[in-house]
Amino acid sequence: MEDPPLASLSLTHVHYNPFDRVSYLCAWLALVPQGLCVIYATLIWSNREIEIMLMFAGQMGCEALNWLLKRYIKEERPREMHGKGYGMPSSHAQFVTFFSVTLTFFLLFRHVPHPTETHTPFSFIQRLLLSVLALASAAAVAASRIYLNYHTPKQVLVGCAAGAISAVLWFGFTTYLRRAGWVEWALETELARLARVRDLVVQEDLVDSGWARWVERRSRANGLRKQQ
């Protein structure tokens, strides 16, 4: 019996020109959505923040929308592309646009960090610069899909538009959930308590992340040592 032919895992299989440095960089940019999913999972498991859970839920909803749009429009990828699946709209462009726009809205309109004795949170200007960096990074990922011939410019632009519209609608929906008290209700459920779900990141700076509590604990420990 001959061994069966091996298959390629298309999740990370990216075609690029090995003699073109820009093409090589674009191949790495193609892995950004997978990296963001790892970051989502890590933050949800370690921080249990409901804001991150809501953002991830919206991200998965945006992916579901992309799946439906591709199978409704049924537009092929560029001829130079050797992969499979439809190309309209670009899932990479839609994914990173949703992430960057949602992150921008959070940093500029929802995130109001309070200073502590040991930490000064990011100012509005710093959060604005971080938002611009996120949007620029998303633009780089989207452009890489054109450079690698995975998508046409139109497919990428439609993907960006779908991601941006999804982000606006999802942010508006989560804003309603907060103002109507649904988020607070969910946090009081037994399941949320068992999972240790919290809602601190809206007012607690991302960089601080418990640092003030750690410094206070160390100060108390050092004070006890000096008394002894």
Side-chain angles (χ1 to χ4, degrees):
M1 294 291 291
E2 295 183 358
D3 293 333
L6 299 178
S8 171
L9 182 62
S10 60
L11 182 66
T12 58
H13 190 70
V14 183
H15 289 94
Y16 71 97
N17 182 358
F19 304 103
D20 185 349
R21 293 184 177 180
V22 176
S23 181
Y24 179 69
L25 174 61
C26 290
W28 281 101
L29 289 174
L31 303 180
V32 168
Q34 289 91 329
L36 288 176
C37 285
V38 173
I39 292 174
Y40 270 125
T42 302
L43 290 176
I44 290 174
W45 175 257
S46 60
N47 291 340
R48 315 295 175 91
E49 283 285 341
I50 195 168
E51 182 68 24
I52 300 176
M53 295 178 185
L54 288 172
M55 187 174 177
F56 183 65
Q59 190 81 70
M60 292 300 98
C62 186
E63 279 294 283
L65 174 63
N66 181 267
W67 188 88
L68 293 173
L69 288 175
K70 280 188 174 181
R71 281 148 186 82
Y72 176 76
I73 301 173
K74 297 182 179 180
E75 183 174 297
E76 299 296 334
R77 294 177 184 269
R79 293 181 179 179
E80 299 84 355
M81 173 58 201
H82 303 289
K84 60 182 180 179
Y86 298 116
M88 172 66 85
S90 167
S91 58
H92 277 70
Q94 188 169 330
F95 189 104
V96 295
T97 300
F98 178 91
F99 175 82
S100 60
V101 172
T102 302
L103 179 63
T104 296
F105 284 166
F106 170 75
L107 291 174
L108 299 184
F109 303 114
R110 185 172 293 170
H111 185 49
V112 188
H114 297 315
T116 64
E117 295 180 359
T118 59
H119 178 74
T120 300
F122 282 173
S123 64
F124 180 82
I125 298 299
Q126 289 173 314
R127 299 200 302 275
L128 177 61
L129 292 176
L130 184 60
S131 301
V132 171
L133 178 61
L135 294 171
S137 299
V141 174
S144 73
R145 306 307 289 169
I146 302 174
Y147 195 88
L148 293 175
N149 292 316
Y150 273 83
H151 294 282
T152 65
K154 183 177 68 172
Q155 292 171 351
V156 167
L157 289 175
V158 172
C160 291
I165 293 173
S166 298
V168 171
L169 294 177
W170 185 252
F171 188 81
F173 177 65
T174 55
T175 298
Y176 163 76
L177 292 179
R178 285 187 171 278
R179 292 181 177 177
W182 288 105
V183 170
E184 188 64 29
W185 172 85
L187 290 170
E188 293 297 327
T189 61
E190 188 64 24
L191 180 61
R193 291 175 177 272
L194 289 174
R196 301 292 193 270
V197 180
R198 66 200 71 173
D199 190 25
L200 295 174
V201 73
V202 174
Q203 295 183 336
E204 185 176 274
D205 193 62
L206 297 173
V207 179
D208 186 38
S209 187
W211 176 252
R213 294 190 295 272
W214 168 249
V215 171
E216 183 181 356
R217 181 184 298 180
R218 295 290 294 174
S219 299
R220 289 201 304 267
N222 291 334
L224 292 175
R225 292 193 190 98
K226 291 179 180 180
Q227 292 177 2
Q228 295 174 356

